[in-house]
Structures are given as structure tokens and as C-alpha cells.
Amino acid sequence: MSIINYVNKEVQFKIVYYGAALCGKTTNLAYIHGHITDTNKGELVSLATAADRTLFFDFLPLNALVIKGFRTRFQLYTVPGQVIYNATRQLVLRSVDGVVFVTDSHWDKMQENVESFHNLYDNLVLQGMDMDRIPYVLQYNKRDVPRLAPVHYLEYILNNRPVRVPSYQAVATTGQGVFATLNAISRLLLRKFIRETEETAAAGQVRAPAPAATALSGIAAGTRR
Amino acid sequence: MNPTPVPPLSAADIPEVTANISSPAQRLQSLLADFLDKTQATFSLVIDRGGSILCQQGNLPESTDATILAALAAGSFAATKELAARLGETEFNTLHHQGKNANILVSTVDDDAVLMTVFGPETTVGLVKFYAVGTVHCLATLLKEARTSPDSQIAISKQDFNAIGNIFHQ
């Protein structure tokens, strides 16, 4: 759920970059941190192993536009991609608002991509969410590698749900497609937030308290999906 | 020298603490200010368990980003909860990190929020824990109220959205 901090007048959105090991999740955040305008940028925090593999998560807070006096903040997280860290991925997904699913475009990585996508689906279900209702986009990363899977094949194996989602080709090391992906998921989240605030206003009532398992938190009135 | 302990807050104390204050946001701020005053702690932060800040009170060094503290504290608390589960506990209600000059106490508020308190050598963990017990109880009550408060509304229209181009730029 998005979180509104009425003391600081902020709306906060949590975006998780998800995907198989070494698909480029951290590289996305590093590129954003290195190239975004200073007014937007927060500090990039990485909880990584000595070998620079993500152990818990990477975290990058971004300030964005002000709407009706409320500053929007987007909090970007990555999950550890390695299979053994599934419990950690579940923790990072808590209260997630939107997902960027990062895919390694190398032919040899197709099985890992699909397994990771199914893992995302399962972990969202565990948290009372599902992929039909959570905004997400696909990023086909590493479009510069040899033995490249064609985009139509990636679409076939990953973007074949009843409602197709936006997908972007990317080379995160050079920044190609990185900001397009970030802007796409951010706009999806804002659009969903606006739709729900309009629905609430039309109903003429405040949002109902959420069930305990996925409840809105604190001073916040979160959007429900 | 440590301050003289005063009995911890209970839910019944909320009206006194917030007598002239109306909105849940202001009452939360007032409650946290009172907590810091009594404990002589430096800073407190109410955090959604997903890592977002709900409200904060006190002063941090300029170089310290509260957003990052919130994300790390929520992650740390979530990991500890998993540890507790493997020992047959629902969760550990408090988490204390002790340093030379800075300490952190993280306490459960409710299913969705935790209270993080940063304090230094001018107070003690015992005193902070003592007041935290009552404060989290009051926080839980106020947070429940805040969820359904008319203040918890923000009106953004499709026209506002259509005026937005790309949100982030290189």
C-alpha cells in the first residue's frame, strides 16, 4: 500500500526490483543513483556480501514531484536473487506497491527467469497480494549479450497473462531503458493511487481499515489494491 | 544524571497529553515529544513494517537520513521476527542495539508498525524501555484512529495526473 505521512506531507511508494540472481537489479539502482538529478536523489544503501552479492536488499529513496502540497517519495528496493534467500525476499516484499521484474535476456537464463517469476507470484500470494492487482512492469535486461533471446519469446514466456503489462528492453550497465522502466512503474503507481483516491472521494467516506494481515499503517491512509 | 521515572503512559493518558490538539497527526507528534522528554532520548520514529516513515520526532545529525534508518530498522526487525518464529515465538517485542555513544531500541506497536528510538549516554535503556511500553500502547490507539480519520485523505484528480510527464530525469 502507498503510505501517506501527514506530518511531513508525503506520499510514499515502495517499488521492489525482483528477478533471478545476477539479472541486473542492483545495477539498475546503481545507475539511477549515479545519474538522477541531485534534487531527486537519496543515498544508495546496499546490504551485500563481501563478494558484492545482495544479501538482504539494496535501498534507494527518491524524492519526486509535489502534488497538491504532498511530496511523493519512491523507495526502491532490490531483493537477493539467489534461490536460498527466499525468506529474505518475502520480507522485502512486505507492503510493496509495485514491482519491476528484471529479466536476463541470455538464452541460458530463461529457466531461471521463469522460476523467479513464479517465485514472485508465490511470494505475493503469501502476503495476500496477487499479480492481477499489483502494478508491475517487465524489464528485459542485458540486451547487449551474445546468445540473446528475442523479445517476442520473452513476451511469450513472461508477459502472457490475461492483461499484458508494459515491458522495456534495457542494458542497465549503460543505462539504456533504466529510466524508462522507472518512470513507467512510477506512473502506474501514481495512476492507481489517484484512481483509488477518486473512488474514495466519490464514495464520500474515508478508507476502511484494512485486514490485519495487510493493514494500512499508522497515520497513513494507504491505497488498497 | 538520569531523570526521575514517571509512570508509563496508558491509553487513558492520551486526552491529557493532547488536550488542545485535534488531528491524529498532531496527537502522534505530541505523544512522541512527551516520550522523548521523559526519556531524554534523541529521536523517535514510527515506521510501517514495510519501511516507510509514518511520523518522527526529535533531532538527528544532518548527515543522517531518517528514510534510510526506517528502511534498515524495518528490515532488521523483520529478520528478527523470523528468528523468533524459528524459536517458537510470535516475535521479539523489542530489539536493542547497543553502541558506544548511540543506542537503538525498536519496539512493536501493532501488526503494522514499530517504534524506533535513538538514544545516547544521557539516558539508559531501562528508562527508554520503561516509557516505551506505555507509548506504544498509546501509539497503537492513535494509529487505529488515524486510519479512519478524514484527515487521512488526499484529493488528486486525473487532471493532476495528466499534467505529469516523466517523473524522473537523468
Side-chain angles (χ1 to χ4, degrees), chain A residues 121-154:
Chain A
Y121 181 93
D122 292 343
N123 284 337
L124 286 174
V125 168
L126 282 176
Q127 309 222 18
M129 297 183 267
D130 70 65
M131 297 197 70
D132 291 331
R133 290 190 291 165
I134 188 167
Y136 73 97
V137 299
L138 299 169
Q139 183 189 74
Y140 303 140
N141 192 26
K142 302 195 183 182
R143 298 307 296 169
D144 57 344
V145 296
R147 286 181 45 73
L148 194 63
V151 169
H152 64 80
Y153 181 73
L154 289 164

Side-chain angles (χ1 to χ4, degrees), chain A:
Chain A
M1 81 253 12
S2 51
I3 299 291
I4 300 177
N5 180 333
Y6 277 86
V7 177
N8 289 350
K9 303 207 83 173
E10 289 177 353
V11 187
Q12 303 167 69
F13 300 95
K14 179 174 182 176
I15 299 171
V16 174
Y17 281 67
Y18 208 97
L22 296 172
C23 67
K25 303 174 290 293
T26 300
T27 309
N28 264 271
L29 261 62
Y31 186 87
I32 293 165
H33 181 255
H35 293 84
I36 200 165
T37 49
D38 285 343
T39 49
N40 293 125
K41 185 161 49 178
E43 185 183 341
L44 175 61
V45 176
S46 289
L47 304 183
T49 67
D52 253 1
R53 302 293 299 277
T54 303
L55 176 64
F56 200 156
F57 57 76
D58 305 301
F59 174 66
L60 176 61
L62 299 176
N63 294 315
L65 64 170
V66 177
I67 308 173
K68 295 286 181 76
F70 280 79
R71 174 170 295 283
T72 53
R73 287 178 71 95
F74 291 82
Q75 302 181 341
L76 312 187
Y77 287 77
T78 67
V79 294
Q82 295 175 82
V83 174
I84 56 169
Y85 293 134
N86 193 40
T88 310
R89 283 192 289 278
Q90 291 169 7
L91 298 183
V92 178
L93 277 177
R94 173 148 190 163
S95 300
V96 63
D97 292 303
V99 174
V100 173
F101 186 81
V102 183
T103 303
D104 188 329
S105 293
H106 197 284
W107 267 118
D108 295 346
K109 297 290 185 179
M110 292 304 111
Q111 185 175 345
E112 286 179 47
N113 289 329
V114 171
E115 285 172 356
S116 179
F117 193 79
H118 288 161
N119 177 253
L120 169 63
Y121 181 93
D122 292 343
N123 284 337
L124 286 174
V125 168
L126 282 176
Q127 309 222 18
M129 297 183 267
D130 70 65
M131 297 197 70
D132 291 331
R133 290 190 291 165
I134 188 167
Y136 73 97
V137 299
L138 299 169
Q139 183 189 74
Y140 303 140
N141 192 26
K142 302 195 183 182
R143 298 307 296 169
D144 57 344
V145 296
R147 286 181 45 73
L148 194 63
V151 169
H152 64 80
Y153 181 73
L154 289 164
E155 289 278 299
Y156 173 71
I157 62 171
L158 295 170
N159 205 3
N160 57 9
R161 298 175 60 76
V163 177
R164 294 181 67 187
V165 300
S167 59
Y168 297 87
Q169 297 185 56
V171 183
T173 49
T174 66
Q176 180 192 329
V178 169
F179 274 82
T181 308
L182 174 62
N183 278 312
I185 187 65
S186 303
R187 284 182 66 84
L188 281 180
L189 292 179
L190 272 182
R191 182 182 298 156
K192 183 169 189 288
F193 179 76
I194 288 167
R195 186 175 68 241
E196 291 177 349
T197 54
E198 283 188 333
E199 286 170 1
T200 304
Q205 59 186 23
V206 298
R207 300 180 182 97
T214 57
L216 304 178
S217 291
I219 194 170
T223 56
R224 308 300 307 157
R225 57 181 66 84

